[in-house]
Amino acid sequence: MADTDCKGCREGYRVTEAQMQRLLATSAFAPDKRVEAATYERRLEACRSCAKLEDGVTCRACGCIMPVVAWLRARECPLPGQRRWASEP
């Protein structure tokens, strides 16, 4: 793969289920910092319908790996002027 390919397209950046579980166990993803599972799924569904989502993983608007970022309460869709989901208090 070329160096210009998105992160989500590179094997080294693919987030496995085991890695996701380890991330969710860290203090950065403490339950008070995460959204509910239903909200997470709605956020991912909004991302999946966006042309900026590359390979179902990486947001071309910000470069984030969305299956990780979508869990965070304080994060919002990074698409300028067209946010598909908002942060939560």
Side-chain angles (χ1 to χ4, degrees):
M1 276 201 176
D3 287 335
T4 57
D5 288 336
C6 76
K7 288 188 288 188
C9 297
R10 298 181 200 157
E11 277 303 314
Y13 283 92
R14 295 201 187 271
V15 179
T16 67
E17 185 59 32
Q19 289 168 323
M20 179 66 79
Q21 292 308 313
R22 282 196 304 272
L23 278 170
L24 293 176
T26 67
S27 60
F29 290 87
D32 64 321
K33 295 179 183 177
R34 289 193 317 216
V35 296
E36 297 290 326
T39 301
Y40 171 75
E41 291 300 328
R42 279 194 304 275
R43 286 178 169 191
L44 284 185
E45 189 57 38
C47 289
R48 287 182 194 114
S49 67
C50 181
K52 293 287 185 183
L53 190 66
E54 185 75 34
D55 196 30
V57 177
T58 305
C59 176
R60 290 190 321 241
C62 69
C64 292
I65 298 172
M66 296 315 291
V68 174
V69 171
W71 275 112
L72 296 172
R73 182 179 299 279
R75 291 296 300 264
E76 60 186 18
C77 169
L79 193 60
Q82 300 176 27
R83 301 215 188 279
R84 293 173 177 263
W85 44 270
S87 60
E88 293 190 1

